[in-house]
Amino acid sequence: MTEPAKAKVEMEKLVSLCRRRGFIFPSSEIYGGLSSCWDYGPLGVELKRNIKDAWWRATVQQRDDMVGLDSSILMHPQTWEASGHVQGFSDPLVECKGCHLRWRSDDLAGDKCPECGGELTEPRLFNLMFKTFMGPVEDKASVVYLRPETAQGMFVNFENVLNTTRKRLPFGIAQVGKSFRNEVTTGNFIFRSREFEQMEIEYFVRPGTDKQWFDYWVEERVNWYVSLGIKRENLKLRPHTKEELAHYARECSDINYLFPMGWAELEGIANRGDFDLVQHASSSGKGLSYYDEEAKEHIVPYIIEPSAGVDRTFLAILCDAYDEDEAEGEKRVLLHLHPDLAPIKAAVLPLSRKEHLASFAKEIYADLRKQWMVGYDDAQSIGRRYRRQDEIGTPFCVTVDFESLEDKQVTIRERDSLRQIRVPIDSLKATLRAKLGGEDLFVLPDGGKVWKE
Ligand code: ATP
């Protein structure tokens, strides 16, 4: 397969669309913004929530071997001693401004990045974790950290989950939540920020079966992105070389995506061996093991960790969905968003603002809203209104015209194909449900006409 070298959309176009339509705003903008922090606006919060829901459905709801967790952001400081985070990031660090690899400055011979020859940031004693204080006294004993990953909350709850769910190996814990990293360099919009969200899985397996489960999860996770409409040719696996593997990792592979700035990590999948449970067992003095009924012995499971970023998935989904074409004789920008992800599932558009038509359309709008996020737009020409919905990825527009008052039918217009059908209002919900579920309905229930080609 030949790899595409360049994404089809520039970052500026995405940033501008996100701002213009209320997907993403710079944080604290009225005060001049806060570097690398972003606020998700009315449409962004819907898209983001839909991404997390899709992940949760595929990862927890539809699987027998996974359970969810929501652990707290602040954890006992010993957690970060045991995990290696306190120690591991306390060196004088420099970061390459080009490839973002970080180096201990006292290990470097010259003043350029050994990997790519790029310029380096000034060295500083740097720990990636945000530090704060618990309680009123700001002293060493009250230091706590904002978690830099959600993973540790799952490791330290291993016994709790095992005892309360009675899961047998292999099984996994899944968690979605905020993480914080005081990144040396940030940028590329929401790709790298200091506050972000992760969707992480810790999958516990019998030692010896870890390679097989690692391969399984790599494939599973790639398929998840493809199932949400991301093109396979825009995804690439990047297995880590022996030299770059973390000391505890047995194998690691990134799922890279072709972002506007080039190929970059969307998700990392690691075979962490027994490192985490062994570390926390020895640090806490609690035996974090699993009693294997067959072998009649305690074993320490190995862990496979697929770790994805919500914000990077958001960006990848937008890049993949963005398109410009011509519709109904006009140029349009559109987002080919998967119906599960679209912030607004349908928009009700009355052809006129006249009272009797408007109140009729509003009844339809109120009814649809019981089930979905639905929009209502009666401003300007119908063409303009279609364009506005296309630009935010609304899969269907429901047009209410004067004939609707007589025949109790409305027109559904499909975003991508531009096809239109008239359906009885009684079948509108059933039709939308089927279409949003991915069915290509040509013949409609209860006397609706077929698609007008
Ligand atoms: P990078 O090399 O890009 O800094 P990483 O290897 O440090 O990423 P992991 O620790 O593997 O990242 O975190 C898992 C996932 O969390 C990443 O694949 C990414 O999607 C997300 N992520 C990590 N750091 C950030 C960040 N600063 N901003 C947004 N998302 C992030």
Side-chain angles (χ1 to χ4, degrees):
M1 188 177 61
T2 51
E3 287 159 1
K6 205 165 163 293
K8 65 177 197 280
V9 53
E10 301 94 57
M11 192 71 97
E12 297 75 53
K13 281 194 177 172
L14 293 179
V15 176
S16 149
L17 172 67
C18 282
R19 224 214 114 73
R20 193 169 69 244
R21 298 309 311 272
F23 281 93
I24 296 173
F25 309 121
S27 163
S28 338
E29 198 180 9
I30 59 166
Y31 292 107
L34 179 66
S35 156
S36 84
C37 292
W38 301 95
D39 294 346
Y40 287 78
L43 292 178
V45 71
E46 297 298 333
L47 174 53
K48 198 179 190 201
R49 197 202 322 234
N50 292 340
I51 290 170
K52 291 187 276 183
D53 284 352
W55 184 87
W56 196 265
R57 265 198 310 278
T59 307
V60 180
Q61 184 186 323
Q62 291 169 1
R63 297 186 64 112
D64 194 28
D65 56 349
M66 296 280 301
V67 290
L69 187 79
D70 186 4
S71 67
S72 72
I73 286 172
L74 301 176
M75 298 180 71
H76 194 291
Q78 229 177 307
T79 308
W80 308 109
E81 303 274 352
S83 69
H85 283 85
V86 171
Q87 178 68 28
F89 290 112
S90 295
D91 294 319
L93 274 189
V94 290
E95 179 166 325
C96 174
K97 292 179 181 170
C99 69
H100 296 297
L101 281 180
R102 298 185 195 105
W103 309 93
R104 276 176 64 158
S105 60
D106 51 348
D107 276 348
L108 295 180
D111 61 354
K112 293 276 183 255
C113 172
E115 181 72 15
C116 73
E119 199 186 329
L120 298 169
T121 56
E122 285 298 307
R124 53 191 280 204
L125 252 193
F126 203 77
N127 191 301
L128 237 57
M129 288 193 293
F130 280 95
K131 222 185 236 182
T132 186
F133 301 95
M134 198 125 170
V137 186
E138 295 194 3
D139 63 9
K140 241 185 162 182
S142 58
V143 164
V144 287
Y145 300 97
L146 302 189
R147 67 180 177 199
E149 59 179 35
T150 72
Q152 301 300 325
M154 295 186 266
F155 302 143
V156 302
N157 274 296
F158 172 71
E159 281 267 295
N160 286 337
V161 171
L162 194 60
N163 293 339
T164 51
T165 62
R166 310 194 65 74
K167 288 279 174 211
R168 313 308 300 160
L169 289 183
F171 76 93
I173 308 179
Q175 164 152 250
V176 180
K178 288 254 170 152
S179 293
F180 304 82
R181 293 184 192 178
N182 203 358
E183 299 276 5
V184 180
T185 51
T186 54
N188 286 320
F189 198 25
I190 52 172
F191 178 82
R192 187 184 303 282
S193 47
R194 296 201 167 95
E195 173 181 342
F196 55 97
E197 248 178 309
Q198 291 184 305
M199 305 181 282
E200 294 197 292
I201 297 168
E202 304 303 334
Y203 198 75
F204 303 91
V205 306
R206 279 195 169 73
T209 64
D210 46 311
K211 169 72 184 142
Q212 158 204 334
W213 282 110
F214 175 83
D215 293 343
Y216 165 87
W217 275 110
V218 169
E219 194 183 333
E220 193 72 9
R221 294 300 305 143
V222 169
N223 290 342
W224 182 74
Y225 291 106
V226 173
S227 78
L228 290 179
I230 290 194
K231 289 170 210 71
R232 182 62 186 85
E233 68 263 27
N234 290 338
L235 294 167
K236 186 164 74 171
L237 289 173
R238 195 188 71 82
H240 285 207
T241 61
K242 275 220 162 66
E243 294 70 47
E244 65 180 318
L245 275 184
H247 65 94
Y248 51 81
R250 303 169 71 87
E251 195 171 0
C252 194
S253 191
D254 293 342
I255 301 176
N256 284 2
Y257 178 78
L258 185 59
F259 288 102
M261 67 283 184
W263 290 96
E265 179 180 333
L266 179 59
E267 169 162 353
I269 300 159
N271 177 350
R272 303 178 63 97
D274 61 7
F275 175 78
D276 308 283
L277 292 180
V278 166
Q279 283 295 107
H280 286 300
S282 85
S283 177
S284 66
K286 304 279 184 316
L288 300 180
S289 64
Y290 172 90
Y291 185 69
D292 189 341
E293 307 277 356
E294 284 161 38
K296 303 264 180 278
E297 61 176 6
H298 284 274
I299 56 171
V300 180
Y302 279 13
I303 295 177
I304 310 300
E305 178 189 75
S307 173
V310 177
D311 313 80
R312 287 189 193 177
T313 305
F314 189 112
L315 189 58
I317 292 280
L318 275 189
C319 290
D320 239 75
Y322 187 94
D323 202 2
E324 292 170 14
D325 70 0
E326 210 166 282
E328 292 130 2
E330 275 183 52
K331 279 202 176 338
R332 68 169 177 169
V333 169
L334 80 158
L335 295 180
H336 294 285
L337 290 176
H338 188 287
D340 286 354
L341 301 182
I344 305 292
K345 308 299 182 199
V348 176
L349 315 176
L351 267 197
S352 146
R353 279 182 174 164
K354 288 214 167 73
E355 175 49 31
H356 59 308
L357 192 64
S359 56
F360 187 70
K362 282 204 170 133
E363 267 175 44
I364 297 172
Y365 172 49
D367 190 39
L368 295 181
R369 271 161 69 201
K370 287 181 198 155
Q371 193 139 15
W372 299 289
M373 288 300 297
V374 175
Y376 186 90
D377 189 357
D378 59 4
Q380 300 177 309
S381 73
I382 192 74
R384 281 271 185 94
R385 287 185 260 168
Y386 284 152
R387 294 297 89 76
R388 281 202 284 272
Q389 295 302 327
D390 293 340
E391 197 181 42
I392 61 169
T394 305
F396 300 104
C397 288
V398 176
T399 316
V400 186
D401 54 29
F402 288 104
E403 228 186 301
S404 306
L405 296 169
E406 306 300 321
D407 66 2
K408 303 287 182 276
Q409 298 200 348
V410 288
T411 302
I412 301 179
R413 170 206 183 256
E414 197 176 44
R415 177 195 67 205
D416 294 352
S417 69
L418 298 170
R419 288 185 300 190
Q420 303 197 4
I421 46 163
R422 251 182 115 68
V423 284
I425 292 167
D426 285 351
S427 331
L428 177 60
K429 266 189 176 163
T431 309
L432 283 178
R433 196 174 305 120
K435 297 276 318 161
L436 287 165
E439 273 181 51
D440 194 16
L441 275 191
F442 283 90
V443 181
L444 292 148
D446 300 335
K449 293 179 199 161
V450 296
W451 290 109
K452 280 193 238 153
E453 294 296 337

